Each structure stands twice: as C-alpha cells, then as structure tokens.
Amino acid sequence: MIVNDLDIDAIKVGLDDGSILLVDVREPHEFAAGHIPGSVSRPLSQFDPADLPNEPGKRIVLSCAAGVRSRRALEFAQSAGLDIDSHYAGGFKDWLMHGEPVEQD
C-alpha cells in the first residue's frame, strides 16, 4: 500500500488553492460536532470507494480524528483500484491543536 502522510501545512495549502478535496471518514455524529471547513463526510462504517466524490482537478485526501481510520480507508480505496494515496496524518485532532477554524452542522 502506498501512503502519503500529509501535515497541516500541506492540507491548508491544498484547501486554500483548491487542489485537494478533503474527505472526512469519521462517523456522522463526529463530523456534525465539528469538521475542517470544506471537507465532505464519507463515514468509514459505510465506506464505499465508488461513492467518493469526483471533482476534476482535485486530489482526494482522506482525514479522520488522528490518522488511523483514514489509513484504513486508503486501503479500501486502493484495493478498489482507485488512485488515492494521501491522508492527513494528524487528522482533526491536529487541526484543533493548531487552533484552526472548525465548521459545525
């Protein structure tokens, strides 16, 4: 499995310039309580690689609370033959620790 661990700086640059689409694989109640602005929810418990959003020109990057579930989702995506190799290694906890803004549903 190929894993590209991205840090908060890479995530912020990618979100700012529109080059990445951040997919949050935490559960719906976690996402609703707070998530990285611009991220989309695809819970790991219902994860279907075929259901991942497709936005031309954007690279999908997976994210969770601390990098464990996003790695698991990477395995699923790669097993399905998708060209997805990146995740936010620190996840939402790292985002919060750096005092970055959070959206709530």
Side-chain angles (χ1 to χ4, degrees):
M1 184 171 95
I2 300 165
V3 179
N4 188 6
D5 294 327
L6 300 182
D7 63 11
I8 190 168
D9 295 328
I11 296 298
K12 287 174 66 175
V13 167
L15 288 172
D16 286 345
D17 69 13
S19 64
I20 68 170
L21 177 60
L22 196 62
V23 175
D24 190 325
V25 299
R26 296 175 304 147
E27 293 309 302
H29 68 277
E30 295 174 280
F31 187 83
H35 54 269
I36 297 170
S39 62
V40 296
S41 178
R42 294 293 188 276
L44 186 61
S45 62
Q46 307 155 26
F47 193 75
D48 178 0
D51 187 40
L52 286 169
N54 179 15
E55 292 191 25
K58 289 192 178 190
R59 177 172 76 147
I60 289 180
V61 176
L62 301 175
S63 176
C64 63
V68 176
R69 287 176 284 179
S70 55
R71 281 183 68 102
R72 188 84 181 106
L74 273 180
E75 285 179 38
F76 292 145
Q78 289 181 13
S79 294
L82 297 178
D83 186 23
I84 298 174
D85 65 2
S86 301
H87 80 125
Y88 179 7
F92 189 66
K93 289 180 180 175
D94 184 61
W95 186 264
L96 283 178
M97 195 175 71
H98 283 87
E100 294 299 327
V102 171
E103 276 182 354
Q104 291 179 312
D105 287 348

